[in-house]
Amino acid sequence: MVEVFPRFDLTGKVALVTGAARGLGRSISLALANAGADVALGVRVEGTGEDIADEIEAMGRRALEVPMDVLSLTQISAAIDTVRSGMGSIDILVNNAGLGPENPAEDVTEEDFDLTFDVNVKGLFFASQAAARVMSDKGGRIVNMSSQAGLVALPTEAIYCASKAAVSHLTRCLAVEWGRLGINVNAIAPTFIRTPGTEAALSDPEFHDDVIERIAALHRVGEPVDVTGAVVYLCSPASSLVTGTTLVVDGGWTVR
């Protein structure tokens, strides 16, 4: 019997990352390219992905920036068509775009509520739907960015928490429905990760110390590579039997 070893190589695959211009989206895009994938960069503001595209091309991979504001179903559809025509296919979709305005529950406005769910859930769903239609003849991988906030309650983030819980359950539903198409659908639920978006909060010593204490097992703030490793795994052949799961990358926060 010939032993089969796990493969994490993404050579020949085309990935589309939403919210690719900064933070985790940037790191995810570069990690996928490092693993061998060509990468389409979904950005809300045109031109903000050019430096990332240069870095990807310097690795010997193809890169393509596409306007993709997930609040616009028209832009979602156009971005999918552009990636398919410009890069030949879509094998991987990483739904990274997201937001979470902080607000005590009693002060949440309808605008806050709608914006959070429109980006984190509605946009994610319709991007997945459009990508799945392209993947349906050959299979593919969809990775959704959920959050530990979908598993625990965080003060002043009730709507964000609810939206990320919805992402995790939607992931399960899509995995069950699209498994027949050969599409694996999974989610990742990170803790606080050191990015430009969390820099202000983590620079507060009291907040930083509270985060460190709550990350019970490892007592350190997450780094982008902690998340990108999980993304590459879920996009790779090594995870071929994994679908419908939310992989928690939280250093032990949610086990307390």
Side-chain angles (χ1 to χ4, degrees):
M1 180 179 177
V2 177
E3 190 69 34
V4 177
F5 297 104
R7 288 178 49 242
F8 300 91
D9 180 48
L10 300 178
T11 300
K13 301 298 184 182
V14 173
L16 168 61
V17 180
T18 71
R22 60 193 297 270
L24 280 177
R26 176 191 180 93
S27 297
I28 289 166
S29 299
L30 293 172
L32 292 172
N34 181 70
D38 298 321
V39 184
L41 307 162
V43 299
R44 187 169 56 86
V45 179
E46 196 166 352
T48 54
E50 289 180 356
D51 62 328
I52 311 169
D54 290 343
E55 290 187 58
I56 290 170
E57 289 171 351
M59 296 180 190
R61 318 299 180 204
R62 293 183 298 160
L64 176 68
E65 182 190 271
V66 289
M68 193 175 183
D69 184 343
V70 297
L71 286 172
S72 167
L73 300 194
T74 300
Q75 277 204 21
I76 289 173
S77 178
I80 296 293
D81 288 344
T82 298
V83 176
R84 179 171 54 179
S85 61
M87 303 190 88
S89 67
I90 299 175
D91 304 293
I92 294 164
L93 170 67
V94 180
N95 282 306
N96 170 71
L99 51 76
E102 267 189 60
N103 224 349
E106 64 270 23
D107 295 332
V108 170
T109 65
E110 183 178 10
E111 183 181 15
D112 289 340
F113 187 102
D114 288 347
L115 178 62
T116 302
F117 269 82
D118 282 351
V119 172
N120 293 358
V121 184
K122 181 180 177 181
L124 177 150
F125 172 79
F126 282 103
S128 298
Q129 181 192 70
R133 288 170 174 162
V134 176
M135 297 174 179
S136 61
D137 61 341
K138 58 184 175 54
R141 303 297 174 92
I142 297 175
V143 177
N144 299 322
M145 294 306 295
S146 182
S147 168
Q148 68 176 22
L151 301 169
V152 296
L154 300 179
T156 75
E157 298 191 26
I159 307 309
Y160 178 74
C161 290
S163 73
K164 291 302 187 177
V167 168
S168 289
H169 194 61
L170 180 59
T171 295
R172 290 188 281 267
C173 294
L174 297 181
V176 168
E177 190 160 349
W178 291 343
R180 62 186 171 80
L181 303 176
I183 300 172
N184 297 49
V185 187
N186 291 290
I188 296 172
T191 186
F192 289 95
I193 303 298
R194 202 181 303 279
T195 68
T198 61
E199 184 178 357
L202 291 171
S203 65
D204 178 329
E206 184 177 349
F207 180 82
H208 180 274
D209 290 348
D210 183 59
V211 168
I212 294 296
E213 173 58 28
R214 289 178 182 273
I215 298 178
L218 300 179
H219 294 288
R220 70 173 176 85
V221 175
E223 300 293 338
V225 69
D226 296 314
V227 177
T228 60
V231 173
V232 170
Y233 165 66
L234 289 175
C235 293
S236 76
S239 66
S240 62
L241 198 61
V242 179
T243 196
T245 192
T246 295
L247 177 54
V248 182
V249 183
D250 73 342
W253 182 308
T254 58
V255 300
R256 296 185 69 170

